[in-house]
Amino acid sequence: MPHIIFIEENGMEKKAPAELGQTILEVALANDVNMEGACGGNMACATCHLVVMSKWYDTLPKPSDDESDMLELASGLTRTSRLGCQIKVTEELDGLILSLPKRFAS
Ligand code: FES
């Protein structure tokens, strides 16, 4: 079973078991990671924004145009930002490291 590593806002790492085919958003919600996912994965909110550790970024399929458009609305956007609801778990993503953006920074 692959594991996804989330770095939470407080800097703590959480290693979450993931089922193949689950989205990263689903993995986060099943493991009490603080990710909102307000639209339920319908690519209409950007509250599942996360930052992919750069060495992993090119392992992921490229974002669709719609995902890129939605990411423009995310606060704290970075070069390796993605939407958690648009990434599906595969064996190749075992050990993927993601961090939650500092969404509420003033
Ligand atoms: Fe809304 Fe991903 S959950 S865009």
Side-chain angles (χ1 to χ4, degrees):
M1 174 180 278
H3 285 79
I4 306 297
I5 298 167
F6 293 92
I7 301 173
E8 301 190 286
E9 283 107 333
N10 61 6
M12 298 292 287
E13 279 188 17
K14 185 173 278 183
K15 186 175 179 184
E19 304 279 347
L20 296 177
Q22 267 187 318
T23 66
I24 296 298
L25 172 63
E26 290 167 335
V27 176
L29 295 178
N31 288 279
D32 295 324
V33 173
N34 185 21
M35 186 181 292
E36 189 175 337
C39 76
N42 290 311
M43 215 167 23
C45 70
T47 61
C48 62
H49 172 211
L50 46 79
V51 178
V52 180
M53 182 179 254
S54 52
K55 75 170 188 175
W56 280 98
Y57 187 77
D58 290 335
T59 308
L60 302 175
K62 298 227 175 310
S64 65
D65 290 345
D66 286 344
E67 181 181 349
S68 296
D69 288 348
M70 186 53 61
L71 275 168
E72 299 281 324
L73 304 176
S75 64
L77 187 66
T78 74
R79 196 176 54 78
T80 63
S81 287
R82 292 295 305 266
L83 294 179
C85 68
Q86 298 304 304
I87 301 170
K88 287 215 161 101
V89 174
T90 62
E91 290 285 4
E92 292 71 35
L93 297 187
D94 184 31
L96 175 67
I97 303 173
L98 308 164
S99 73
L100 300 183
K102 292 185 170 42
R103 283 174 284 167
F104 305 116
S106 55

